């Protein structure tokens, strides 16, 4: 049995789905830095993402985290996230069977710092002489940096809302 609990805070529909895990498939995506020396086998040059695809009731679920999800077939799980074209995308989860919770908390820090950096660059551009003279290129960059900062802040709020839904 799966239940859906929508959020009312954000425009994007963050919601939770609860149910029993079935058809669990775990995979690993590994990206290698193309500038890494070939003789160096350090894991610092790799980015690993663990992808878990499973069903909760009749809902297709997909999760991508930097560490493997702690779930198994038959576990009672609540996931929080949003719907995409292919499956429900998980931002945070709670496994009641194993009494484990998980989310990408480091992503929140990176997004907040990135948003602040992009906003600082935008403010710096706003105070430049080229903007006051009416040159179009700095205005374009200013708009771009502000939009990226807004997106990063929005994504941070989305993840925080997903985590908050699991706690309520």
């Amino acid at each position: 049995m799966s239940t859906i609990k929508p959020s009312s805070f954000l425009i994007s529909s963050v919601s939770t789905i609860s149910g029993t895990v079935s058809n669990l498939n775990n995979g690993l995506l590994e990206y290698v830095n193309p500038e890494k020396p070939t003789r160096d086998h350090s894991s610092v040059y790799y980015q690993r993402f663990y992808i878990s695809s499973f069903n909760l009731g009749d809902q297709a679920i997909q999760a991508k985290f930097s560490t493997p999800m702690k779930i198994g077939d038959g576990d009672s799980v609540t996931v929080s996230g949003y719907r995409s074209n292919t499956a429900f995308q998980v931002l945070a989860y709670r496994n009641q069977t194993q009494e484990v919770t998980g989310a990408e908390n480091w992503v929140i820090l990176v997004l907040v710092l990135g948003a602040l950096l992009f906003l600082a660059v935008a403010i710096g551009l706003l105070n430049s002489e080229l903007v006051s003279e009416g040159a179009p290129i700095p205005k374009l960059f200013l708009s771009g940096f502000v939009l990226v900062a807004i997106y990063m802040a929005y994504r941070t709020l989305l993840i925080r809302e997903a985590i908050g839904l699991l706690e309520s």
Side-chain angles (χ1 to χ4, degrees):
M1 182 75 188
S2 82
T3 59
I4 298 175
K5 178 181 169 188
S7 167
S8 59
F9 178 65
L10 296 172
I11 294 170
S12 181
S13 57
V14 177
S15 59
T16 60
I17 299 176
S18 298
T20 303
V21 174
S22 63
N23 299 328
L24 176 63
N25 292 314
N26 291 316
L28 175 67
L29 279 179
E30 194 168 66
Y31 299 102
V32 179
N33 181 353
E35 298 173 6
K36 174 182 116 30
T38 56
R39 65 188 176 283
D40 187 357
H41 298 291
S42 171
S43 65
V44 173
Y45 295 100
Y46 295 93
Q47 277 190 324
R48 291 184 178 97
F49 294 100
Y50 296 89
I51 297 178
S52 297
S53 300
F54 54 94
N55 291 336
L56 285 182
D58 60 348
Q59 296 286 323
I61 310 292
Q62 186 176 41
K64 182 166 62 169
F65 292 109
S66 60
T67 58
M69 284 183 77
K70 295 179 174 115
I71 60 170
D73 275 320
D75 285 357
S76 178
V77 174
T78 301
V79 295
S80 183
Y82 60 93
R83 296 197 189 289
S84 72
N85 294 337
T86 57
F88 187 85
Q89 300 297 316
V90 177
L91 297 173
Y93 72 95
R94 179 178 39 211
N95 185 336
Q96 290 90 348
T97 304
Q98 298 181 28
E99 296 180 7
V100 180
T101 59
E104 290 285 21
N105 288 329
W106 65 271
V107 172
I108 294 172
L109 177 63
V110 169
L111 287 172
V112 167
L113 292 177
L116 291 174
L117 173 72
F118 277 90
L119 195 57
V121 170
I123 290 170
L125 277 173
L126 186 62
N127 292 327
S128 73
E129 289 180 24
L130 290 173
V131 171
S132 62
E133 292 173 3
I137 298 298
K139 288 181 183 178
L140 200 70
F141 278 114
L142 177 65
S143 301
F145 279 110
V146 168
L147 288 175
V148 169
I150 289 170
Y151 172 76
M152 293 175 113
Y154 171 75
R155 188 75 181 166
T156 302
L157 289 174
L158 197 67
I159 294 170
R160 290 299 307 153
E161 183 71 13
I163 293 169
L165 279 174
L166 286 178
E167 293 171 356
S168 62

PDB file of all heavy atoms in Angstrom, residues 24-32 43 46-53 62-69 104:
ATOM      1  N   LEU A  24      13.822  -4.330  -6.364  1.00  0.00           N
ATOM      2  CA  LEU A  24      14.967  -3.447  -6.101  1.00  0.00           C
ATOM      3  C   LEU A  24      16.115  -3.762  -7.056  1.00  0.00           C
ATOM      4  O   LEU A  24      16.522  -4.911  -7.203  1.00  0.00           O
ATOM      5  CB  LEU A  24      15.441  -3.623  -4.647  1.00  0.00           C
ATOM      6  CG  LEU A  24      16.683  -2.851  -4.231  1.00  0.00           C
ATOM      7  CD1 LEU A  24      16.435  -1.343  -4.324  1.00  0.00           C
ATOM      8  CD2 LEU A  24      17.092  -3.242  -2.826  1.00  0.00           C
ATOM      9  N   ASN A  25      16.602  -2.731  -7.726  1.00  0.00           N
ATOM     10  CA  ASN A  25      17.783  -2.823  -8.593  1.00  0.00           C
ATOM     11  C   ASN A  25      18.748  -1.719  -8.185  1.00  0.00           C
ATOM     12  O   ASN A  25      18.379  -0.550  -8.189  1.00  0.00           O
ATOM     13  CB  ASN A  25      17.411  -2.644 -10.068  1.00  0.00           C
ATOM     14  CG  ASN A  25      16.585  -3.785 -10.593  1.00  0.00           C
ATOM     15  OD1 ASN A  25      16.901  -4.936 -10.359  1.00  0.00           O
ATOM     16  ND2 ASN A  25      15.513  -3.458 -11.294  1.00  0.00           N
ATOM     17  N   ASN A  26      19.976  -2.112  -7.833  1.00  0.00           N
ATOM     18  CA  ASN A  26      20.998  -1.136  -7.466  1.00  0.00           C
ATOM     19  C   ASN A  26      22.037  -1.063  -8.570  1.00  0.00           C
ATOM     20  O   ASN A  26      22.423  -2.075  -9.137  1.00  0.00           O
ATOM     21  CB  ASN A  26      21.684  -1.522  -6.149  1.00  0.00           C
ATOM     22  CG  ASN A  26      20.753  -1.379  -4.979  1.00  0.00           C
ATOM     23  OD1 ASN A  26      20.030  -0.393  -4.865  1.00  0.00           O
ATOM     24  ND2 ASN A  26      20.752  -2.361  -4.094  1.00  0.00           N
ATOM     25  N   GLY A  27      22.471   0.154  -8.862  1.00  0.00           N
ATOM     26  CA  GLY A  27      23.498   0.357  -9.876  1.00  0.00           C
ATOM     27  C   GLY A  27      24.487   1.396  -9.423  1.00  0.00           C
ATOM     28  O   GLY A  27      24.296   2.083  -8.410  1.00  0.00           O
ATOM     29  N   LEU A  28      25.559   1.535 -10.186  1.00  0.00           N
ATOM     30  CA  LEU A  28      26.609   2.481  -9.861  1.00  0.00           C
ATOM     31  C   LEU A  28      26.976   3.257 -11.106  1.00  0.00           C
ATOM     32  O   LEU A  28      27.256   2.681 -12.150  1.00  0.00           O
ATOM     33  CB  LEU A  28      27.844   1.742  -9.324  1.00  0.00           C
ATOM     34  CG  LEU A  28      29.088   2.569  -9.032  1.00  0.00           C
ATOM     35  CD1 LEU A  28      28.845   3.510  -7.865  1.00  0.00           C
ATOM     36  CD2 LEU A  28      30.266   1.668  -8.744  1.00  0.00           C
ATOM     37  N   LEU A  29      26.942   4.577 -11.005  1.00  0.00           N
ATOM     38  CA  LEU A  29      27.440   5.448 -12.064  1.00  0.00           C
ATOM     39  C   LEU A  29      28.769   5.995 -11.596  1.00  0.00           C
ATOM     40  O   LEU A  29      28.882   6.480 -10.469  1.00  0.00           O
ATOM     41  CB  LEU A  29      26.491   6.623 -12.299  1.00  0.00           C
ATOM     42  CG  LEU A  29      25.274   6.390 -13.147  1.00  0.00           C
ATOM     43  CD1 LEU A  29      24.454   7.675 -13.223  1.00  0.00           C
ATOM     44  CD2 LEU A  29      25.642   5.944 -14.537  1.00  0.00           C
ATOM     45  N   GLU A  30      29.759   5.925 -12.445  1.00  0.00           N
ATOM     46  CA  GLU A  30      31.075   6.405 -12.055  1.00  0.00           C
ATOM     47  C   GLU A  30      31.602   7.317 -13.155  1.00  0.00           C
ATOM     48  O   GLU A  30      31.701   6.913 -14.311  1.00  0.00           O
ATOM     49  CB  GLU A  30      32.002   5.218 -11.842  1.00  0.00           C
ATOM     50  CG  GLU A  30      33.269   5.535 -11.134  1.00  0.00           C
ATOM     51  CD  GLU A  30      33.982   4.274 -10.704  1.00  0.00           C
ATOM     52  OE1 GLU A  30      34.426   3.521 -11.572  1.00  0.00           O
ATOM     53  OE2 GLU A  30      34.091   4.057  -9.489  1.00  0.00           O
ATOM     54  N   TYR A  31      31.887   8.549 -12.782  1.00  0.00           N
ATOM     55  CA  TYR A  31      32.430   9.518 -13.715  1.00  0.00           C
ATOM     56  C   TYR A  31      33.907   9.716 -13.392  1.00  0.00           C
ATOM     57  O   TYR A  31      34.277   9.896 -12.245  1.00  0.00           O
ATOM     58  CB  TYR A  31      31.710  10.862 -13.596  1.00  0.00           C
ATOM     59  CG  TYR A  31      30.247  10.778 -13.905  1.00  0.00           C
ATOM     60  CD1 TYR A  31      29.302  10.759 -12.883  1.00  0.00           C
ATOM     61  CD2 TYR A  31      29.799  10.713 -15.215  1.00  0.00           C
ATOM     62  CE1 TYR A  31      27.955  10.690 -13.163  1.00  0.00           C
ATOM     63  CE2 TYR A  31      28.448  10.634 -15.501  1.00  0.00           C
ATOM     64  CZ  TYR A  31      27.534  10.625 -14.476  1.00  0.00           C
ATOM     65  OH  TYR A  31      26.201  10.551 -14.757  1.00  0.00           O
ATOM     66  N   VAL A  32      34.735   9.699 -14.423  1.00  0.00           N
ATOM     67  CA  VAL A  32      36.166   9.855 -14.244  1.00  0.00           C
ATOM     68  C   VAL A  32      36.569  11.221 -14.779  1.00  0.00           C
ATOM     69  O   VAL A  32      36.133  11.638 -15.844  1.00  0.00           O
ATOM     70  CB  VAL A  32      36.945   8.746 -14.983  1.00  0.00           C
ATOM     71  CG1 VAL A  32      38.444   8.921 -14.810  1.00  0.00           C
ATOM     72  CG2 VAL A  32      36.512   7.383 -14.505  1.00  0.00           C
ATOM     73  N   SER A  43      40.844   7.383  -5.725  1.00  0.00           N
ATOM     74  CA  SER A  43      39.399   7.577  -5.882  1.00  0.00           C
ATOM     75  C   SER A  43      39.021   9.048  -5.864  1.00  0.00           C
ATOM     76  O   SER A  43      37.867   9.390  -6.082  1.00  0.00           O
ATOM     77  CB  SER A  43      38.642   6.833  -4.782  1.00  0.00           C
ATOM     78  OG  SER A  43      38.960   7.395  -3.533  1.00  0.00           O
ATOM     79  N   TYR A  46      37.351  10.225  -9.022  1.00  0.00           N
ATOM     80  CA  TYR A  46      36.098   9.598  -9.423  1.00  0.00           C
ATOM     81  C   TYR A  46      34.929  10.255  -8.711  1.00  0.00           C
ATOM     82  O   TYR A  46      35.046  10.650  -7.558  1.00  0.00           O
ATOM     83  CB  TYR A  46      36.087   8.108  -9.048  1.00  0.00           C
ATOM     84  CG  TYR A  46      37.104   7.282  -9.776  1.00  0.00           C
ATOM     85  CD1 TYR A  46      38.356   7.053  -9.225  1.00  0.00           C
ATOM     86  CD2 TYR A  46      36.816   6.733 -11.007  1.00  0.00           C
ATOM     87  CE1 TYR A  46      39.296   6.295  -9.885  1.00  0.00           C
ATOM     88  CE2 TYR A  46      37.747   5.966 -11.679  1.00  0.00           C
ATOM     89  CZ  TYR A  46      38.982   5.750 -11.112  1.00  0.00           C
ATOM     90  OH  TYR A  46      39.910   4.997 -11.775  1.00  0.00           O
ATOM     91  N   GLN A  47      33.831  10.365  -9.403  1.00  0.00           N
ATOM     92  CA  GLN A  47      32.580  10.736  -8.763  1.00  0.00           C
ATOM     93  C   GLN A  47      31.673   9.515  -8.890  1.00  0.00           C
ATOM     94  O   GLN A  47      31.435   9.037  -9.989  1.00  0.00           O
ATOM     95  CB  GLN A  47      31.926  11.926  -9.454  1.00  0.00           C
ATOM     96  CG  GLN A  47      32.461  13.242  -9.022  1.00  0.00           C
ATOM     97  CD  GLN A  47      31.595  14.362  -9.565  1.00  0.00           C
ATOM     98  OE1 GLN A  47      31.075  14.281 -10.669  1.00  0.00           O
ATOM     99  NE2 GLN A  47      31.449  15.404  -8.792  1.00  0.00           N
ATOM    100  N   ARG A  48      31.228   9.033  -7.780  1.00  0.00           N
ATOM    101  CA  ARG A  48      30.374   7.851  -7.779  1.00  0.00           C
ATOM    102  C   ARG A  48      28.968   8.234  -7.332  1.00  0.00           C
ATOM    103  O   ARG A  48      28.800   8.948  -6.352  1.00  0.00           O
ATOM    104  CB  ARG A  48      30.930   6.792  -6.845  1.00  0.00           C
ATOM    105  CG  ARG A  48      32.205   6.189  -7.335  1.00  0.00           C
ATOM    106  CD  ARG A  48      32.663   5.064  -6.422  1.00  0.00           C
ATOM    107  NE  ARG A  48      33.861   4.474  -6.938  1.00  0.00           N
ATOM    108  CZ  ARG A  48      35.084   4.787  -6.539  1.00  0.00           C
ATOM    109  NH1 ARG A  48      35.241   5.687  -5.601  1.00  0.00           N
ATOM    110  NH2 ARG A  48      36.129   4.201  -7.057  1.00  0.00           N
ATOM    111  N   PHE A  49      27.998   7.731  -8.061  1.00  0.00           N
ATOM    112  CA  PHE A  49      26.603   7.903  -7.692  1.00  0.00           C
ATOM    113  C   PHE A  49      25.963   6.528  -7.676  1.00  0.00           C
ATOM    114  O   PHE A  49      26.085   5.759  -8.633  1.00  0.00           O
ATOM    115  CB  PHE A  49      25.870   8.812  -8.686  1.00  0.00           C
ATOM    116  CG  PHE A  49      26.357  10.220  -8.663  1.00  0.00           C
ATOM    117  CD1 PHE A  49      27.242  10.679  -9.619  1.00  0.00           C
ATOM    118  CD2 PHE A  49      25.930  11.092  -7.680  1.00  0.00           C
ATOM    119  CE1 PHE A  49      27.703  11.981  -9.592  1.00  0.00           C
ATOM    120  CE2 PHE A  49      26.376  12.394  -7.638  1.00  0.00           C
ATOM    121  CZ  PHE A  49      27.272  12.843  -8.605  1.00  0.00           C
ATOM    122  N   TYR A  50      25.297   6.220  -6.592  1.00  0.00           N
ATOM    123  CA  TYR A  50      24.606   4.950  -6.454  1.00  0.00           C
ATOM    124  C   TYR A  50      23.149   5.174  -6.822  1.00  0.00           C
ATOM    125  O   TYR A  50      22.481   6.022  -6.243  1.00  0.00           O
ATOM    126  CB  TYR A  50      24.731   4.418  -5.022  1.00  0.00           C
ATOM    127  CG  TYR A  50      26.169   4.117  -4.666  1.00  0.00           C
ATOM    128  CD1 TYR A  50      26.994   5.082  -4.115  1.00  0.00           C
ATOM    129  CD2 TYR A  50      26.692   2.855  -4.913  1.00  0.00           C
ATOM    130  CE1 TYR A  50      28.317   4.804  -3.808  1.00  0.00           C
ATOM    131  CE2 TYR A  50      28.012   2.567  -4.600  1.00  0.00           C
ATOM    132  CZ  TYR A  50      28.819   3.546  -4.052  1.00  0.00           C
ATOM    133  OH  TYR A  50      30.127   3.271  -3.763  1.00  0.00           O
ATOM    134  N   ILE A  51      22.679   4.408  -7.789  1.00  0.00           N
ATOM    135  CA  ILE A  51      21.312   4.548  -8.266  1.00  0.00           C
ATOM    136  C   ILE A  51      20.516   3.332  -7.809  1.00  0.00           C
ATOM    137  O   ILE A  51      20.931   2.189  -8.025  1.00  0.00           O
ATOM    138  CB  ILE A  51      21.262   4.656  -9.795  1.00  0.00           C
ATOM    139  CG1 ILE A  51      21.987   5.914 -10.237  1.00  0.00           C
ATOM    140  CG2 ILE A  51      19.831   4.651 -10.294  1.00  0.00           C
ATOM    141  CD1 ILE A  51      22.037   6.107 -11.715  1.00  0.00           C
ATOM    142  N   SER A  52      19.396   3.606  -7.175  1.00  0.00           N
ATOM    143  CA  SER A  52      18.487   2.538  -6.759  1.00  0.00           C
ATOM    144  C   SER A  52      17.156   2.759  -7.448  1.00  0.00           C
ATOM    145  O   SER A  52      16.593   3.847  -7.392  1.00  0.00           O
ATOM    146  CB  SER A  52      18.284   2.556  -5.239  1.00  0.00           C
ATOM    147  OG  SER A  52      19.494   2.301  -4.576  1.00  0.00           O
ATOM    148  N   SER A  53      16.692   1.735  -8.118  1.00  0.00           N
ATOM    149  CA  SER A  53      15.371   1.762  -8.744  1.00  0.00           C
ATOM    150  C   SER A  53      14.543   0.659  -8.103  1.00  0.00           C
ATOM    151  O   SER A  53      15.019  -0.471  -7.937  1.00  0.00           O
ATOM    152  CB  SER A  53      15.471   1.508 -10.246  1.00  0.00           C
ATOM    153  OG  SER A  53      16.259   2.491 -10.855  1.00  0.00           O
ATOM    154  N   GLN A  62      13.021   6.141  -8.209  1.00  0.00           N
ATOM    155  CA  GLN A  62      14.441   6.160  -8.549  1.00  0.00           C
ATOM    156  C   GLN A  62      15.157   7.115  -7.607  1.00  0.00           C
ATOM    157  O   GLN A  62      14.686   8.223  -7.354  1.00  0.00           O
ATOM    158  CB  GLN A  62      14.659   6.587  -9.987  1.00  0.00           C
ATOM    159  CG  GLN A  62      16.108   6.483 -10.416  1.00  0.00           C
ATOM    160  CD  GLN A  62      16.309   6.818 -11.874  1.00  0.00           C
ATOM    161  OE1 GLN A  62      15.716   7.754 -12.376  1.00  0.00           O
ATOM    162  NE2 GLN A  62      17.134   6.037 -12.542  1.00  0.00           N
ATOM    163  N   ALA A  63      16.301   6.667  -7.101  1.00  0.00           N
ATOM    164  CA  ALA A  63      17.094   7.489  -6.177  1.00  0.00           C
ATOM    165  C   ALA A  63      18.542   7.483  -6.626  1.00  0.00           C
ATOM    166  O   ALA A  63      19.075   6.447  -7.026  1.00  0.00           O
ATOM    167  CB  ALA A  63      16.982   6.938  -4.765  1.00  0.00           C
ATOM    168  N   LYS A  64      19.186   8.648  -6.562  1.00  0.00           N
ATOM    169  CA  LYS A  64      20.602   8.759  -6.896  1.00  0.00           C
ATOM    170  C   LYS A  64      21.274   9.506  -5.753  1.00  0.00           C
ATOM    171  O   LYS A  64      20.990  10.673  -5.509  1.00  0.00           O
ATOM    172  CB  LYS A  64      20.780   9.509  -8.212  1.00  0.00           C
ATOM    173  CG  LYS A  64      22.219   9.617  -8.642  1.00  0.00           C
ATOM    174  CD  LYS A  64      22.423  10.046 -10.085  1.00  0.00           C
ATOM    175  CE  LYS A  64      21.891  11.401 -10.379  1.00  0.00           C
ATOM    176  NZ  LYS A  64      22.317  11.913 -11.693  1.00  0.00           N
ATOM    177  N   PHE A  65      22.148   8.789  -5.032  1.00  0.00           N
ATOM    178  CA  PHE A  65      22.864   9.342  -3.893  1.00  0.00           C
ATOM    179  C   PHE A  65      24.349   9.042  -4.015  1.00  0.00           C
ATOM    180  O   PHE A  65      24.755   8.159  -4.771  1.00  0.00           O
ATOM    181  CB  PHE A  65      22.345   8.744  -2.573  1.00  0.00           C
ATOM    182  CG  PHE A  65      20.945   9.151  -2.220  1.00  0.00           C
ATOM    183  CD1 PHE A  65      19.903   8.244  -2.281  1.00  0.00           C
ATOM    184  CD2 PHE A  65      20.658  10.441  -1.821  1.00  0.00           C
ATOM    185  CE1 PHE A  65      18.613   8.610  -1.950  1.00  0.00           C
ATOM    186  CE2 PHE A  65      19.368  10.820  -1.490  1.00  0.00           C
ATOM    187  CZ  PHE A  65      18.348   9.902  -1.553  1.00  0.00           C
ATOM    188  N   SER A  66      25.170   9.746  -3.233  1.00  0.00           N
ATOM    189  CA  SER A  66      26.607   9.504  -3.250  1.00  0.00           C
ATOM    190  C   SER A  66      26.989   8.286  -2.417  1.00  0.00           C
ATOM    191  O   SER A  66      28.109   7.807  -2.509  1.00  0.00           O
ATOM    192  CB  SER A  66      27.364  10.737  -2.760  1.00  0.00           C
ATOM    193  OG  SER A  66      26.971  11.055  -1.452  1.00  0.00           O
ATOM    194  N   THR A  67      26.085   7.801  -1.598  1.00  0.00           N
ATOM    195  CA  THR A  67      26.284   6.559  -0.845  1.00  0.00           C
ATOM    196  C   THR A  67      25.094   5.655  -1.141  1.00  0.00           C
ATOM    197  O   THR A  67      23.999   6.136  -1.429  1.00  0.00           O
ATOM    198  CB  THR A  67      26.361   6.812   0.676  1.00  0.00           C
ATOM    199  OG1 THR A  67      25.164   7.462   1.096  1.00  0.00           O
ATOM    200  CG2 THR A  67      27.566   7.678   1.021  1.00  0.00           C
ATOM    201  N   PRO A  68      25.287   4.330  -1.061  1.00  0.00           N
ATOM    202  CA  PRO A  68      24.166   3.437  -1.361  1.00  0.00           C
ATOM    203  C   PRO A  68      23.019   3.596  -0.367  1.00  0.00           C
ATOM    204  O   PRO A  68      23.243   3.843   0.817  1.00  0.00           O
ATOM    205  CB  PRO A  68      24.765   2.033  -1.251  1.00  0.00           C
ATOM    206  CG  PRO A  68      26.228   2.196  -1.107  1.00  0.00           C
ATOM    207  CD  PRO A  68      26.512   3.605  -0.734  1.00  0.00           C
ATOM    208  N   MET A  69      21.800   3.487  -0.873  1.00  0.00           N
ATOM    209  CA  MET A  69      20.628   3.503   0.019  1.00  0.00           C
ATOM    210  C   MET A  69      20.650   2.239   0.861  1.00  0.00           C
ATOM    211  O   MET A  69      21.026   1.178   0.377  1.00  0.00           O
ATOM    212  CB  MET A  69      19.328   3.536  -0.792  1.00  0.00           C
ATOM    213  CG  MET A  69      19.006   4.862  -1.397  1.00  0.00           C
ATOM    214  SD  MET A  69      17.403   4.830  -2.267  1.00  0.00           S
ATOM    215  CE  MET A  69      16.272   4.904  -0.889  1.00  0.00           C
ATOM    216  N   GLU A 104      20.932  13.674   0.879  1.00  0.00           N
ATOM    217  CA  GLU A 104      22.197  14.272   0.468  1.00  0.00           C
ATOM    218  C   GLU A 104      22.354  15.625   1.152  1.00  0.00           C
ATOM    219  O   GLU A 104      22.115  16.664   0.557  1.00  0.00           O
ATOM    220  CB  GLU A 104      22.244  14.428  -1.055  1.00  0.00           C
ATOM    221  CG  GLU A 104      22.356  13.131  -1.791  1.00  0.00           C
ATOM    222  CD  GLU A 104      23.738  12.507  -1.733  1.00  0.00           C
ATOM    223  OE1 GLU A 104      24.542  12.832  -0.832  1.00  0.00           O
ATOM    224  OE2 GLU A 104      24.018  11.684  -2.592  1.00  0.00           O
TER     225      GLU A 104
END
